Structure formats: C-alpha cells, structure tokens
C-alpha cells in the first residue's frame, strides 16, 4: 500500500545528481584553475619530481598566500580543493617510508585549504571527493563513461597502480549510476501502489550492483598489493587514529574552534593555529554506496566500544559508515536525508506477499549488495591485512592485533558489521 505519511520523492537535479552519470559530474571536473592560481597548479605539475628531489616542502613554504575569494563557479572551488588536498598530503607524507611525516601544514596551504573546505562544507583532508570525484577526465569527450575512456588527472606516486586504484571506484560510480534513478522511480511507484513498477526498478538496482561487483573484482588487474601498501596507501590516510600523527595535524594560521580541534595539545612554539583530527579518504565515502544503503533501508547502528576504553575519555559510539557521511558534500548529505524520508522501499515490499515480484527483487538487490561487501572484505584482506602482516614479519615485529583503515576505523570489525547490517535488511517471509 502507498505510504501517505512519507516525505516527497527527491528530484535528482535538485541535488546536483545526473540521471545518466549519477555522482560523476556532467560535464567532467575542471582540469585547471584560472591563471591567478598558477602557483598551486605548478606545484601539482611538478609534484612527483619535487617529491623525488626532496624539494616539495621547501617549494610549498615559498608559495604566496592566495586569495580564495577569486575562485568563481563551483567547479573552480572543487578543483582548488583537490589541488590543495594533493599538495597538503604530499607535504605531510613526503615519500612513504623514506621521509619523516610532517605534522605542521604551512599557513600558505592551511588557510586557503580550510577556507575552501568550509565553502564546500567538506573537511580539509584528503577524501573521496578530492581523489575520485574531482580527479578524472574523459580521454575522448564524446566517448563512453567507462574504464575504456575515463582517466585520472593526478596521482601522488606517479605509478599506474595508484591511477587504477582511483579508476575502479569511478568505474563503479559509472555502472552504478542508473540505480540512483531506479530507487527514486521505485519510490514514485510506491505512491501509485504499482507493484510491477517497483519490481522493475529494483531489477535495475540489482543489475547495477552486479556490475559494481564485477568492476570491484578488477582491482587486482593493475594494482599490485605490495606497491599499494608501500607507496600509495599512506597518502590516503588522515590524522584520526594515526600513530604517526598522535596530536593530529597542525593548521598554521587557522584559529577557528570546532569539533575537529584537539584542544588538549598547545600549538608548537612560536606558531598560531589549531591541531585538527580528520579521517582520511575511504571507499566508505562513496555517495553511491550511501545512496544504496539509504534507498534499500540498510540500517547502520553504532559500533560497540571496547570494554577497556575509559568512560571518562572515550567518544560517543558512532557507526563509521554514518561518520563517513560527514566527509561528503552538503548536497549529497541532503540527498540521503530526502531519500530516507521518502516512501520506504523496504517497508513497502515487506507489506507484500513473499511471492510478489517486488519483494523478490528487493531481496535480490540486498543479496547483491551483500556480495559487493564480501568482495570488498576480500580485497581489504589482500591489500591491507596480509600486507601489514608481511611487513611485520619482515621486520621481526609482532603481528598487529588490529588494522586501522585510512578512514580511521578499526577495519575488520567495521567491514563485518556493515556486511551483517546489509544481511539484516533482507525481508524475511512470515
């Protein structure tokens, strides 16, 4: 039966979502900022060479202070956010396992980066929004939106393994894009009490997730696990739960106090600014994945806290998937809210017979999403957990008890809980 108390079905265009390309912008992201911002662009042009020469940090400190108010349309702001994210994290990391991690971000980068992030309602940290959604182009502007034609604008390391690591999620965003319209089509059909239309829309969702599974499995093709672990992964890390950055990152010249500031540590001597802690880039920041969770009614609960945590100091329990939404754009977060308040697909199919096509298609979609998360766990095992164990064995260190993801989460419990929450969304026959 239709749900009269639900909110309106969201219009994709109201949230900057393209019916054909989904969360991949149409036209593609900007490839260069206006001439005034050439000092930033030139650092990015020379990024790999500066890192190899050990000259990046000196070059960054010599940058002029740029006026962010001279940025124009929104694509320029997104480009600037991506450019500064690459420069800042290159300055922090240098070359992994060669250079010492630098926790202080110079004012010439920290202030404009923070201002741009605030304008976009993003966090000033490397994120999916930067390395994925603002970092691609089409080899042939008239060609297809798929891996045969999508290319990466910038990488930290200069190796094709890193480009492939970014390309696979973009490929998933592309093949999964029709599922977004299909879910809102299903919600429209619920208002008409049209079971067959709901079933047809859910069939599209399942087909999209199946294609995303195939795409995710291609990660192994051109991304060597050892290269990923030793040369790529570090750049994606944030300062949350990062042993190399116990106080977070110091944003020189940024004095604003908010929830991300670590006020327990004083500024370095002679400097003015704030210590800040952020999660890094994570696949858990994909707006497509969050849309599927919200649209299909996958409920993410707070993760249990360790009994050894001190009640006086531990933060409130939160589910990492929900926390990752804070790293998505304001438009995307608004879309998830509207999608969740519109007619519930899961609630609707639950009211139908277990033999109805709509309920069967819904469960097929949930099972496909569970398979997707199975594949993600397998890839995480190969690229992170096993590599961490190999590194520990090679140095004679004890194998670590847990693995922290680039998003700052306790990786294995987080992924397992998310998979179980997906299974729990299945509509069971009564």
């Amino acid at each position: 039966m239709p749900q009269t108390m639900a909110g309106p079905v969201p219009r994709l265009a109201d949230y900057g979502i393209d019916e054909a390309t989904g969360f991949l912008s149409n036209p593609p992201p900007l490839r260069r900022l206006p001439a005034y911002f050439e000092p930033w662009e030139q650092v990015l042009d020379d990024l790999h060479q500066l890192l190899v020469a050990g000259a990046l940090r000196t070059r960054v400190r010599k940058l002029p202070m740029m006026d962010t108010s001279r940025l124009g349309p929104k694509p320029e702001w997104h480009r600037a956010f991506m450019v500064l994210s690459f420069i800042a994290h290159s300055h922090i990391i240098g070359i992994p396992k060669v250079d010492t991690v630098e926790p202080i971000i110079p004012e010439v980068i920290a202030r404009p980066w923070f201002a741009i992030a605030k304008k976009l309602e993003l966090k000033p940290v490397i994120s999916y929004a930067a390395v994925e959604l603002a970092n691609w182009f089409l080899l042939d502007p008239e060609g297809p939106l798929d891996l045969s034609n999508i290319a990466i604008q910038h990488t930290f390391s200069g190796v094709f393994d890193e480009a492939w690591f970014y390309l696979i999620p973009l490929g998933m965003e592309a093949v999964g894009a029709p599922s977004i319209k299909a879910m809102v089509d299903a919600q429209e059909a619920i208002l008409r009490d049209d079971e067959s239309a709901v079933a047809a829309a859910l069939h599209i969702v399942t087909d999209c997730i199946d294609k995303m599974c195939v795409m995710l499995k291609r990660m192994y093709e051109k991304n060597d696990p050892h290269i990923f672990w030793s040369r790529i992964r570090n750049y994606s890390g944030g300062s949350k739960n990062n042993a190399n950055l116990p106080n977070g990152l110091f944003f020189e010249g940024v004095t604003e106090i908010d929830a991300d500031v670590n006020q327990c540590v004083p500024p370095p001597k002679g400097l003015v600014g704030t210590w800040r802690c952020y999660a890094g880039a994570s696949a858990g920041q994909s707006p497509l994945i969050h849309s599927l969770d919200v649209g299909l009614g996958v409920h993410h609960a707070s993760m249990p806290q360790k009994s050894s945590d001190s009640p006086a100091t531990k933060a409130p329990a939160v589910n990492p998937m929900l926390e990752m939404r804070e790293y998505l754009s304001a438009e995307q977060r608004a879309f998830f809210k509207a999608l969740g308040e519109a007619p519930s697909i899961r609630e609707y199919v639950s009211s139908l017979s277990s033999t109805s096509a709509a309920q069967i298609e819904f469960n097929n979609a949930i099972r496909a999403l569970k398979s997707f998360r199975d594949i993600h766990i397998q890839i995480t095992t190969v690229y992170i957990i096993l590599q961490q164990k190999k590194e520990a064995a090679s140095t004679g260190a004890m194998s670590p008890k847990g693995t922290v993801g680039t998003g700052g989460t306790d990786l294995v419990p987080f992924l397992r809980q998310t998979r179980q929450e997906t299974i729990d969304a299945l509509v069971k026959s009564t």
Side-chain angles (χ1 to χ4, degrees):
M1 64 180 66
Q3 300 167 35
T4 57
M5 298 302 292
V9 176
R11 294 177 65 253
L12 298 186
D14 291 344
Y15 302 93
I17 302 170
D18 188 278
E19 289 190 4
T21 64
F23 292 103
L24 299 180
S25 59
N26 185 15
L30 195 66
R31 294 193 66 181
R32 195 123 189 139
L33 289 169
Y36 171 78
F37 295 98
E38 270 299 292
W40 292 350
E41 291 284 7
Q42 288 170 4
V43 172
L44 196 53
D45 289 343
D46 299 337
L47 188 68
H48 307 141
Q49 293 80 2
L50 288 167
L51 284 168
V52 171
L56 176 75
R57 289 168 179 166
T58 300
R59 176 84 166 266
V60 167
R61 285 192 291 269
K62 290 180 179 178
L63 281 170
M65 179 63 73
M66 309 301 292
D67 180 3
T68 58
S69 69
R70 296 184 63 163
L71 291 165
K74 186 172 283 188
E76 291 185 10
W77 289 84
H78 282 289
R79 169 76 187 178
F81 178 74
M82 183 270 288
V83 170
L84 291 186
S85 295
F86 267 86
I87 294 174
H89 277 259
S90 298
H91 183 276
I92 294 162
I93 301 300
I95 294 181
K97 305 182 189 307
V98 175
D99 295 323
T100 302
V101 172
E102 173 53 67
I104 299 173
I105 305 175
E107 185 172 7
V108 291
I109 291 297
R111 276 181 50 198
W113 194 27
F114 186 85
I116 292 166
K118 188 173 182 178
K119 171 79 171 182
L120 295 173
E121 297 186 68
L122 293 167
K123 305 278 191 181
V125 68
I126 199 75
S127 65
Y128 194 93
V131 296
E132 298 287 356
L133 300 182
N135 190 32
W136 62 278
F137 67 100
L138 294 177
L139 295 168
D140 175 4
E142 305 302 320
L145 187 69
D146 61 32
L147 285 195
S148 72
N149 196 41
I150 301 174
I152 295 300
Q153 293 190 29
H154 304 283
T155 64
F156 289 98
S157 65
V159 299
F160 63 75
D161 303 70
E162 183 180 356
W164 192 249
F165 176 63
Y166 300 150
L167 280 168
I168 291 300
L170 290 171
M172 290 189 296
E173 296 283 348
V175 298
S179 68
I180 309 169
K181 182 178 184 299
M183 287 188 291
V184 298
D185 285 347
Q187 292 177 327
E188 291 279 10
I190 289 170
L191 294 176
R192 305 190 305 269
D193 198 15
D194 186 341
E195 292 183 29
S196 62
V198 173
L202 286 169
H203 184 79
I204 294 173
V205 174
T206 302
D207 181 63
C208 286
I209 300 173
D210 286 342
K211 290 176 180 176
M212 289 166 61
C213 289
V214 173
M215 184 67 62
L216 185 54
K217 288 178 181 177
R218 294 190 63 186
M219 182 64 77
Y220 302 104
E221 290 181 15
K222 299 174 186 177
N223 183 13
D224 180 87
H226 176 70
I227 292 175
F228 170 77
W229 175 259
S230 61
R231 291 296 180 212
I232 300 170
R233 183 175 183 263
N234 298 64
Y235 293 111
S236 298
S239 51
K240 179 186 175 185
N241 296 336
N242 187 333
N244 292 318
L245 297 165
N247 300 326
L249 287 168
F250 186 77
F251 281 64
E252 185 183 359
V254 177
T255 57
E256 183 173 321
I257 301 298
D258 53 38
D260 299 312
V261 173
N262 177 4
Q263 300 188 60
C264 299
V265 182
K269 188 175 180 180
L271 296 182
V272 175
T274 44
W275 288 100
R276 296 174 168 274
C277 295
Y278 300 104
S282 166
Q285 294 165 2
S286 163
L288 174 60
I289 299 300
H290 286 278
S291 297
L292 289 167
D293 280 346
V294 173
L296 296 176
V298 176
H299 175 66
H300 296 297
S302 297
M303 290 186 69
Q305 300 189 58
K306 298 177 182 179
S307 58
S308 58
D309 288 344
S310 168
T313 59
K314 66 185 179 183
V318 64
N319 184 280
M321 280 298 287
L322 300 182
E323 187 178 20
M324 287 298 100
R325 287 182 195 170
E326 298 176 13
Y327 291 78
L328 277 68
S329 74
E331 269 189 332
Q332 291 163 0
R333 296 195 303 269
F335 173 67
F336 305 147
K337 184 175 186 293
L339 188 67
E341 292 174 349
S344 167
I345 300 172
R346 186 176 187 276
E347 183 179 324
Y348 177 79
V349 301
S350 295
S351 70
L352 305 176
S353 162
S354 60
T355 59
S356 71
Q359 188 176 124
I360 291 170
E361 290 289 359
F362 177 86
N363 279 340
N364 287 342
I366 292 294
R367 291 188 185 98
L369 190 56
K370 186 263 182 184
S371 295
F372 177 84
R373 289 190 155 125
D374 284 338
I375 298 166
H376 187 204
I377 290 174
Q378 292 162 8
I379 286 177
T380 300
T381 300
V382 171
Y383 282 85
I384 299 177
I385 297 171
L386 292 180
Q387 297 306 311
Q388 186 181 48
K389 289 180 177 178
K390 287 180 181 178
E391 183 177 79
S394 68
T395 60
M398 291 186 63
S399 186
K401 294 182 179 179
T403 301
V404 176
T406 51
T409 59
D410 193 354
L411 201 54
V412 175
F414 160 51
L415 294 177
R416 287 176 177 171
Q417 176 172 321
T418 303
R419 178 176 60 184
Q420 184 58 52
E421 289 166 343
T422 306
I423 296 169
D424 291 343
L426 285 166
V427 173
K428 299 175 176 60
S429 302
T430 57

